[in-house]
Amino acid sequence: MTSARDRILAKVRAALADVPPGPPDADPPATRAYRTAHTEATGPALLALLAENLADYRAVVHQTTSARLPELLAEILRAHGSRSVAVPADLPPEWLAATHDMTRLIDSPDLTAEQLNGVDSALTGCALAIAETGTIVLDAGPAQGRRMLTLVPDHHICVIRADQVAASLPQALPRLDPTRPQTWISGPSATSDIELERVEGVHGPRRLEVVVVSGRPQ
Amino acid sequence: MSRTFLGMPPFPKAAAVSTRNARLRANLTRATHTIRDKRARAVAELDDWAELRQSGREIKDRTLRHLDHYLLQAEQAVTAAGGTVHWAADAAEANRIVADLVRATGESEVVKVKSMATQEIGLNEALAAEGITAYETDLAELIVQLADDLPSHILVPAIHRNRGEIRDIFRGSMARWGRPAPEGLTDNPAELAEAARLHLREKFLRAKVAVSGANFIVAETGTLVVVESEGNGRMCLTLPETLISVVGIEKLVPSWQDLEVFLQLLPRSSTAERMNPYTSLWTGTTPSDGPSNFHLVLLDNGRSDTLADQVGRQALRCIRCSACLNVCPVYERAGGHAYGSPYPGPIGAILTPQLRGLQNEVDASLPYASSLCGACYEVCPVAIDIPEVLVQLRERVVEQAPGHRLERAAMKSAGWLLDHPAVYSAALRTAGKARGLQPRRLPLPGPAKAWSDSRDLPVLPERPFRDWWNRRDDRNHGHTGKDDAAR
């Protein structure tokens, strides 16, 4: 008896009897006449566009400098009433330099979703951000931790450096590594399932605060 | 334990009943009009929409023309990244594979991400027969599951329910499935979402096995992509130890770069957003981050048959955005259940009969569930010419089942249309706009050929008589639409 794999492939090939044999490259490539970006903004204007689009989908956006970052993060955690914060093991130590009296859960393979469920906030960096769509991308790389870290807690604070901001999706994709697990986040969790009206806040963090750090990277 | 589409009446009969349900009509009209306006604005933001749409169409066509090549490439890439690939020729094979995989883990429950493919194969029912409980975690799917109902929309399966009904369903049924609804739950959508969060959180935290579909598989890298809003997808794709993804063989895109096209087309067409809140991308398994066992079940279930039809195969370009449902005058009035399949609306009318064949009366009636107005084609982000495929399928229905059954179906459809003046006038108006595209003759196959060959089609007027009549005297309050609503 032939395998399902062989049967499916044979049926697919028979269905394509009208296509001349040969590799896909024998076909002309698909046209790509679309834009590589819908904005020409760079520098502070690009950061402003990112902030505007993030805010449009109900993320809370802060802009600051590297020098003021620790103060701002302490303020955000205090304002949220957080008493515990989950962080990746390689979080830059200065980020929490001004935060005191706060239980820190450090990400490791042993940290469970159950433990994270009792944490008030999660603080991470990101892989990059996309200004046009108001999207931040996490890929479990530096200062990000595992995927569950930014999923289970109800409050996610994400720090973006100015040099991590791409204008558009076509400009962002080549900078991302497909072999890494990725989460693209555009605003807090939401649903349109009740009468197709958007409601923020279902299973993912209901509050997303993004801190855009301007100035040259360190 | 849950209902299926099996044994549903054919479209004209089902629609005749559903169009008389005033509450259903009101819920659907409200929801589809809200989303269609938003979609139009989201699309208008991009001045290169036409170019994106063209690329989306070409990339999908190219993939389909070499589907065997890309399937093998994807299989190799997923396997190399630590995943296991299974092939399922039909629903029964797919359900068998999933049930066996779940049993091998020793678990008796799974959490599910909303997935059209698993709806299509009736996975939940198949798992239930093996003593495995599948918990739907998408809010709308949860509503459908709690109400022991059927989905009626691709994106929002509970679109036929309004907030008051949803509150009643939560109050009445949540306790049977797990954590009960909070005391004093109102019909405020934010409160309803909160109730779903509380109800499902315990299930996410204890789940060992998840079942998902996927919006895309990137053949060159073996990456799967799931696009969602609520975070239930992230929960299912991240927390369990075992992940089983059931994906139709047409979901492939060749390259990582291709995502730049589809992740612009899909969110704007679907939820009218620049980008949906969450998109998860994973390639095989990652040590100590996410599921350690990943299984991909590649599903045929009629897709290779659909591929064999050179006109009909374009239906396989579909990225399940549901924009065509939201603009369809027939869907808006008949509702999703009338289509007798998890794929309702215009895309369902061409996809279901091709996937399942035209043997039964339900599927043979679907190509007639349309006024051929063309609004679906206009909004389709991958330019599927749904009217063209509908006409082609009608020919096939005629070819294989000449005589009474078809005639009956056609007459019933026409009868239904004539019975609903607003749909009828919408159909006429759009037909007027499409005059340039009208063929002079309608070539019918088989015995009808002699008849159609000797007759020209009547030329469509620029404006239908009814419009002209209503406009020539404004005091004569236009009937179009109003008497329809009063029925």
Side-chain angles (χ1 to χ4, degrees):
Chain A
M1 200 180 107
T2 54
S3 68
R5 179 180 185 271
D6 293 343
R7 278 180 283 137
I8 293 169
L9 287 169
K11 276 187 77 180
V12 165
R13 286 174 184 139
L16 293 170
D18 61 304
V19 178
D25 294 345
D27 278 5
T31 54
R32 294 182 190 271
Y34 51 86
R35 295 179 185 283
T36 52
H38 299 87
T39 174
E40 287 168 11
T42 56
L46 193 63
L47 298 190
L49 180 66
L50 172 67
E52 184 189 328
N53 284 330
L54 279 164
D56 193 32
Y57 286 154
R58 308 286 183 273
V60 179
V61 185
H62 309 266
Q63 305 210 37
T64 189
T65 59
S66 334
R68 293 207 53 242
L69 179 64
E71 284 298 330
L72 177 62
L73 290 174
E75 257 174 59
I76 292 171
L77 286 163
R78 195 165 44 238
H80 188 70
S82 300
R83 281 175 299 179
S84 54
V85 59
V87 295
D90 59 349
L91 190 88
E94 69 275 13
W95 286 11
L96 286 178
T99 299
H100 311 288
D101 305 325
M102 179 89 51
T103 308
R104 289 183 204 181
L105 266 86
I106 300 181
D107 186 35
S108 78
D110 299 327
L111 185 66
T112 64
E114 198 73 54
Q115 286 172 290
L116 283 168
N117 199 36
V119 174
D120 296 322
S121 301
L123 169 63
T124 69
C126 66
L128 60 76
I130 306 169
E132 254 184 28
T133 57
T135 303
I136 54 181
V137 178
L138 305 183
D139 70 355
Q144 296 163 59
R146 295 173 307 152
R147 281 174 281 177
M148 68 162 73
L149 196 71
T150 54
L151 171 62
V152 180
D154 204 15
H155 180 216
H156 177 200
I157 309 166
C158 183
V159 177
I160 305 172
R161 295 192 320 263
D163 65 308
Q164 292 180 309
V165 181
S168 66
L169 191 53
Q171 292 182 11
L173 277 171
R175 292 168 63 171
L176 291 168
D177 177 357
T179 65
R180 305 189 71 89
Q182 291 176 24
T183 307
W184 298 16
I185 300 172
S186 307
S189 135
T191 181
S192 302
D193 280 356
I194 301 165
E195 300 177 8
L196 274 170
E197 277 181 23
R198 188 177 156 110
V199 178
E200 274 83 21
V202 199
H203 304 294
R206 284 180 288 189
R207 189 169 171 88
L208 172 66
E209 299 201 49
V210 177
V211 181
V212 183
V213 184
S214 57
R216 269 196 297 274
Q218 293 164 351
Chain B
M1 69 181 213
S2 62
R3 294 173 60 198
T4 71
F5 284 103
L6 285 176
M8 295 267 297
F11 185 84
K13 214 176 277 178
V17 175
S18 61
T19 47
R20 291 199 191 95
N21 181 337
R23 181 155 67 170
L24 172 74
R25 296 265 307 267
N27 292 353
L28 274 177
T29 300
R30 185 188 152 96
T32 55
H33 284 253
T34 303
I35 192 70
R36 76 169 72 154
D37 297 341
K38 281 191 203 161
R39 187 210 74 96
R41 285 197 296 275
V43 165
E45 270 188 19
L46 300 187
D47 59 4
D48 60 343
W49 186 257
E51 287 78 13
L52 282 165
R53 185 177 186 240
Q54 181 63 25
S55 295
R57 169 198 182 142
E58 289 183 24
I59 292 167
K60 279 283 185 180
D61 275 351
R62 205 166 181 273
T63 314
L64 292 171
R65 282 167 58 84
H66 301 280
L67 193 57
D68 53 335
H69 170 91
Y70 290 117
L71 282 167
L72 291 172
Q73 195 185 13
E75 179 189 44
Q76 192 179 15
V78 170
T79 309
T84 307
V85 178
H86 310 258
W87 300 70
D90 55 27
E93 283 185 17
N95 289 334
R96 181 78 265 143
I97 292 167
V98 178
D100 287 347
L101 288 170
V102 176
R103 278 151 69 127
T105 65
E107 294 295 314
S108 61
E109 47 180 53
V110 302
V111 285
K112 276 189 72 201
V113 191
K114 179 177 166 351
S115 138
M116 294 308 299
T118 60
Q119 283 278 2
E120 175 191 323
I121 62 176
L123 178 66
N124 292 8
E125 295 73 28
L127 290 179
E130 309 251 345
I132 298 163
T133 308
Y135 295 110
E136 293 290 351
T137 65
D138 168 76
L139 178 51
E141 291 281 10
L142 174 69
I143 296 163
V144 168
Q145 186 171 50
L146 291 174
D148 193 15
D149 200 351
L150 288 169
S152 71
H153 189 277
I154 289 174
L155 172 70
V156 192
I159 196 171
H160 55 291
R161 300 287 195 178
N162 64 31
R163 59 187 72 188
E165 295 172 85
I166 295 168
R167 175 204 54 207
D168 295 344
I169 291 165
F170 279 11
R171 278 184 181 164
S173 301
M174 269 186 171
R176 267 190 289 125
W177 287 83
R179 182 175 171 147
E183 281 292 311
L185 180 68
T186 74
D187 66 359
N188 177 321
E191 270 187 52
L192 295 171
E194 164 78 10
R197 177 186 176 94
L198 294 169
H199 179 76
L200 288 173
R201 178 74 43 151
E202 60 179 29
K203 293 191 165 61
F204 290 134
L205 291 177
R206 71 164 188 249
K208 296 279 185 286
V209 184
V211 175
S212 83
N215 295 91
F216 306 101
I217 301 177
V218 180
E220 68 171 355
T221 60
T223 307
L224 274 80
V225 183
V226 164
V227 167
E228 53 131 356
S229 297
E230 297 169 10
N232 64 307
R234 291 178 69 189
M235 292 280 179
C236 294
L237 302 170
T238 309
L239 299 184
E241 291 162 8
T242 298
L243 170 62
I244 305 164
S245 300
V246 182
V247 188
I249 54 174
E250 85 286 17
K251 294 283 181 173
L252 292 168
V253 296
S255 73
W256 179 248
Q257 190 196 357
D258 295 330
L259 293 178
E260 74 190 20
V261 175
F262 296 103
L263 291 179
Q264 292 194 73
L265 289 171
L266 179 55
R268 288 178 198 260
S269 299
S270 182
T271 48
E273 292 165 310
R274 280 179 212 108
M275 191 64 86
N276 49 290
Y278 298 134
T279 301
S280 294
L281 304 92
W282 74 98
T283 305
T285 55
T286 306
S288 73
D289 186 352
S292 44
N293 304 300
F294 169 54
H295 297 273
L296 169 63
V297 182
L298 289 169
L299 176 72
D300 182 344
N301 204 34
R303 285 159 177 79
S304 54
D305 297 322
T306 308
L307 192 65
D309 186 318
Q310 289 179 43
V311 174
R313 71 168 59 138
Q314 61 184 305
L316 298 176
R317 293 205 292 258
C318 176
I319 55 173
R320 311 281 189 268
C321 72
S322 72
C324 63
L325 280 62
N326 299 332
V327 297
C328 177
V330 176
Y331 173 84
E332 183 186 333
R333 285 158 180 86
H337 293 156
Y339 295 79
S341 133
Y343 302 108
I347 187 62
I350 63 168
L351 200 53
T352 307
Q354 295 199 89
L355 292 178
R356 299 202 297 214
L358 294 160
Q359 284 77 31
N360 72 55
E361 214 186 346
V362 175
D363 298 336
S365 75
L366 283 173
Y368 297 89
S370 168
S371 65
L372 300 181
C373 82
C376 48
Y377 171 57
E378 269 174 48
V379 298
C380 177
V382 286
I384 300 170
D385 192 340
I386 293 176
E388 182 190 23
V389 182
L390 285 167
V391 170
Q392 147 95 354
L393 287 170
R394 288 180 190 187
E395 285 174 16
R396 273 174 53 188
V397 173
V398 177
E399 268 170 26
Q400 70 165 47
H404 301 307
R405 195 180 68 184
L406 163 82
E407 215 164 54
R408 213 165 48 233
M411 290 318 289
K412 276 184 184 166
S413 294
W416 175 80
L417 204 60
L418 293 168
D419 215 25
H420 295 80
V423 192
Y424 185 59
S425 354
L428 288 178
R429 270 197 302 279
T430 18
K433 284 180 200 145
R435 281 188 312 158
L437 306 171
Q438 188 199 7
R440 272 189 58 238
R441 287 192 183 157
L442 185 68
L444 289 176
K449 191 172 184 300
W451 183 84
S452 62
D453 272 359
S454 58
R455 282 161 177 85
D456 284 348
L457 285 172
V459 175
L460 289 167
E462 189 179 358
R463 252 176 29 193
F465 172 78
R466 291 155 57 92
D467 269 15
W468 173 82
W469 177 260
N470 286 333
R471 268 180 226 165
R472 59 174 265 288
D473 179 4
D474 280 341
R475 281 162 302 175
N476 170 16
H477 296 294
H479 272 50
T480 45
K482 289 189 180 134
D483 52 354
D484 187 46
R487 241 161 226 268

